[in-house]
Amino acid sequence: MMNKTKNVVNNICKQIGLIIIALVIATIFLALSGYDPIAVIRGLMESISGDIGGTIRWATPLILAGLAICVTYKAEVFNLGVDGQLIMGACAGTAVALVIPATLPAGIAAPLVIIVSMAAGALYALIPAVLKVYTGTNEVVSTLLFNFIATLFLEFLVTGPLTDKTSGVALNASAIVPKNTWLPRISYLAPSTANIGFYIGLILVVVMGFIFYKTTLGHEIKIVGANRTLAKYAGMNPNRSVFQVMIISGAIAGMIGAIEVFAIQHRLLAGFNPGFGFDGIVVSLLANNNPFGVLFSGLFFGALINGGINMERATDVPSAVTDIVMAIIIIIVAANFAIPRVRGYFRLYRKADNPDTGVKGGKTE
Amino acid sequence: MAYAVEMLNITKTFPGVKANDNVTIRIDQGEIHGLIGENGAGKSTMMNMLYGMFEPDSGTIKLNGQEVRVSSPHTAIRLGIGMVHQHFMLMPNLTVLMNIILGSEPQKRGLIDVAEAKKRINAIMEEYNLPVNLDEKIYQLSVGEKQRVEIIKALYRGAKILILDEPTAVLTPIETDRLLEVLRKLKCQGCTIIFITHKLREVLAITDSVTVMRKGVVTGTRKTKDTSIKELSELMVGRPVDLNVPRKEFNPGDNILELDNISALNSRGLTALRGVSLNVRAGEIVGIAGVEGNGQSELIQVISGMIKPTGGKVLFKGKDITNFSVRKRRLTGMSHIPEDRLKMGLAAKCSIRDNMILNRYFQKPYSRHGVMNNKLLSEFSDKLCKDFEVLTPGSEYAVSTLSGGNMQKVVIGREMETNPNLLIAAQPTRGVDIGAIESIYRRLIAERDNGKAVLLVSAELDEILMLSDRIYVLYEGEFVAEFNRSEADEKKIAVYMTGAERQGAKDDE
């Protein structure tokens, strides 16, 4: 038990170290390009200390996307289609919101559109799952390509069937959704757009943690991910697990779409999704695919992105700097897997370079 | 005359474990030297140090009387040491030729001189009778052929001292015989061979002298002609070992498992089983003998429900279960020790607990409404580890931290804990040391004596003969012979295993 705690602390320290390295490198980049070198760090500090609302606003979709990624990752299924699924969720939710009577009480209308969004996201995730199970199509490819379909479908909707006819100009957006479907914002953090989506995220973190570590479903997902032949041999149904994780992942993605539309934009916009799905991969990666870790890594990236936006507003430092930080983190995490191997390789060859049988020379490690 | 290899007072410590403690091994020029011991006895560590994979903390290595420092495999090769690893170090997508010359290609004007390489390799193949098709890709070869490629690779690099790490663990009996033949030839040509193994019979058959290790120290060195299986196994295990486990009188009960005219395809869609029928009764061990790849895997998969037969029926306790799922079969009293524990029987990355609970995690009282009782499951798993003597500090450790024998104990513990009516045991002792083999044999016999049915599939003919009450011989997807315990012997069965004869045909004469 002691060992376990030590392990957890070790891991956390490692991830924090990783973040610090990334920030230092980003700072060097900024200095080299002639910007204020500590801009990123300043933005980050301000996100944490000043603009907590903004941080929460951006952390919410990132936490959810991180959860959507980590659930599939546990089963060794790779869902790169969170973006597509959240777009489809937003589309379906908006479509329903625009047709249901505006007199429906908010207590029914808001949950209804969320559920519709989640169902649409789940259904859209189910297609690549079916293709994978029945035709052997690689889900990495199919989910990625389904993103393009979703993006174009969204553009079609907001310029065609769902376009806002009341405004005179072409907006590439739907009409404002009726107020009874709006999701409440956190009044304490007003005027930011931080909303109850954050609470949903918190609850989902706990729920996913429970599913992973306490339920038979979680155990099956783990075994399927670790060794599919073993799962089959032990009487599990690996295909069913693939469906399960993709449905859960797609539903969470759909929830992101609903939150973006009904809590923040209040309408369906062509470019409303800045790529939460892919950011979710980084969030999950930094969290070691642990749902509780996802909460913190989501908050960190939320602060980072929010800091970048604030920074751009106040100074001339482009918010794209935050992308550099993210990219560096991806590279370092990937290097984390590779470095021990590379080092082993070099050690082998360094030794080989030593004169053959000489008793002296060469350091023994 | 100087020794070919001397490893004097070698000590090697890994974090937390003393792998070798003041070990001395001396190997004569031109002999075949057996190095035996249980899993984790430190044999491989010793050989890896000789091959330069790591260096000893203290002690010296001498070759032909001269002290050397083997700092890397490159140095080892330069010194004429070659090693054939248990897990082959070959590139599956390259041809045999390319694999052999990789890293030491003969060159002509900056290009690889293929003709010269072929000439040299052909000479080696002819000299030692090691035929392989040089133009085939590695992935197209059988295990035995891959091993031959490894040996040629070592000889091509001029190895005079050859280390073979458990070379026969992956071979069929026929391939083993062929390998031993090759080794004898190598010895005649002046090679010194170090032969690491578990299998004492092979040690007696081929070696000149033997070093036995246990728990990091040498427990004895013997001339092969002066020793016996009994003495060697005692030195290995540290106590007398008797694989001849006493059994109750044969008194079979009702049919537990019946196969009626089963046909099945293998994973490549080719016919693997052609209408096999068998029955296993309560209180008997039925052995399936045969060279691997004659339909054993498919037979087990049909019975355990992992593949559907293309024809025929599977009856279990009198009920037709042909269309039952794997889980349903398990729940009606079937257990299965798989032939490849790492591929099928365990998730190495996961904890021992996660692996132990696979038959129970979904059942009351271990879980209710899909929520697992983690505390109860951990207790369950800890208890099984203790009952089945899995050597581990705790069941929260990953399976990959265990030795092969202990991994197998995890599988066996899990599969026996359900108290099954039928236990399918496929290669139950593969890669397991002799002490563990003895305990596995005892457990299988105990199942039988308790009136359970056991279906034993093994490539080791000794094992089949020692344990089975009845024996079927499988050849090319058909049973070509059936024997009772009393009438079976190795010679008789071997004839049928190779397909040279079949019982039906013989009766017709």
Side-chain angles (χ1 to χ4, degrees), chain B residues 234-260:
Chain B
E234 261 192 72
L235 286 171
M236 261 169 85
V237 186
R239 60 179 164 80
V241 174
D242 187 5
L243 291 182
N244 264 315
V245 181
R247 47 167 71 206
K248 282 191 194 158
E249 208 178 313
F250 185 43
N251 183 18
D254 296 335
N255 268 332
I256 297 291
L257 175 74
E258 290 166 83
L259 295 190
D260 182 18

Side-chain angles (χ1 to χ4, degrees), chain A residues 3 210 213-216 219-220 222-223 226-227 229-230 232-236 351 356-359 361 364, chain B residues 69 71 75 78-79 306 326-327 330 336 338 342-347 354 357 361 370-372 374 414-415:
Chain A
N3 241 331
F210 182 77
Y213 305 114
K214 292 283 283 181
T215 66
T216 54
H219 192 250
E220 284 176 10
K222 189 199 291 182
I223 295 295
N227 182 348
T229 317
L230 169 68
K232 202 173 161 203
Y233 150 91
M236 297 172 185
K351 275 188 182 170
D356 8 340
T357 61
V359 187
T364 42
Chain B
R69 176 164 168 267
S71 54
T75 323
R78 221 167 314 166
L79 293 168
M306 296 186 67
V326 176
R327 174 145 297 166
R330 283 180 170 272
H336 172 191
L342 279 176
K343 246 191 211 149
M344 193 183 278
L346 294 166
D354 287 344
I357 65 177
Y361 74 96
V371 179
M372 299 194 293
N374 281 336
R414 179 182 71 210
E415 296 304 315

Side-chain angles (χ1 to χ4, degrees), chain B residues 34-55:
Chain B
L35 183 57
I36 61 174
E38 302 201 294
N39 287 325
K43 302 163 290 183
S44 296
T45 311
M46 283 299 282
M47 288 306 114
N48 283 332
M49 283 188 282
L50 182 55
Y51 192 60
M53 306 279 273
F54 26 80
E55 295 184 63

Side-chain angles (χ1 to χ4, degrees), chain B residues 423-477:
Chain B
L423 178 66
I424 306 164
Q427 321 293 358
T429 60
R430 172 166 288 173
V432 161
D433 54 65
I434 191 155
I437 290 177
E438 188 195 15
S439 97
I440 291 169
Y441 282 6
R442 279 184 195 285
R443 290 190 192 278
L444 291 177
I445 299 269
E447 288 288 296
R448 164 200 183 268
D449 288 349
N450 285 332
K452 310 292 183 189
V454 177
L455 181 68
L456 172 72
V457 179
S458 176
E460 308 285 338
L461 203 42
D462 302 350
E463 186 163 293
I464 297 269
L465 287 165
M466 203 168 293
L467 294 174
S468 310
D469 294 299
R470 274 189 308 131
I471 299 166
Y472 291 92
V473 184
L474 191 60
Y475 176 71
E476 293 202 332

Side-chain angles (χ1 to χ4, degrees), chain B residues 24-43:
Chain B
T24 295
I25 298 178
R26 290 192 177 87
I27 295 154
D28 271 331
Q29 207 89 47
E31 71 163 353
I32 301 183
H33 192 100
L35 183 57
I36 61 174
E38 302 201 294
N39 287 325
K43 302 163 290 183

Side-chain angles (χ1 to χ4, degrees), chain B residues 209-260:
Chain B
S209 50
V210 202
T211 299
V212 188
M213 290 186 68
R214 184 158 65 86
K215 292 184 180 160
V217 297
V218 170
T219 51
T221 303
R222 297 283 185 276
K223 286 282 167 215
T224 307
K225 58 180 195 296
D226 302 331
T227 187
S228 64
I229 289 200
K230 199 160 162 282
E231 189 191 17
L232 290 178
S233 47
E234 261 192 72
L235 286 171
M236 261 169 85
V237 186
R239 60 179 164 80
V241 174
D242 187 5
L243 291 182
N244 264 315
V245 181
R247 47 167 71 206
K248 282 191 194 158
E249 208 178 313
F250 185 43
N251 183 18
D254 296 335
N255 268 332
I256 297 291
L257 175 74
E258 290 166 83
L259 295 190
D260 182 18

Side-chain angles (χ1 to χ4, degrees), chain B residues 3 7 112 115 138 203 219 232 299 378 447 468 482:
Chain B
Y3 289 104
M7 299 181 78
I112 297 175
I138 292 295
V203 170
T219 51
L232 290 178
L299 182 74
S378 291
E447 288 288 296
S468 310
E482 185 186 341

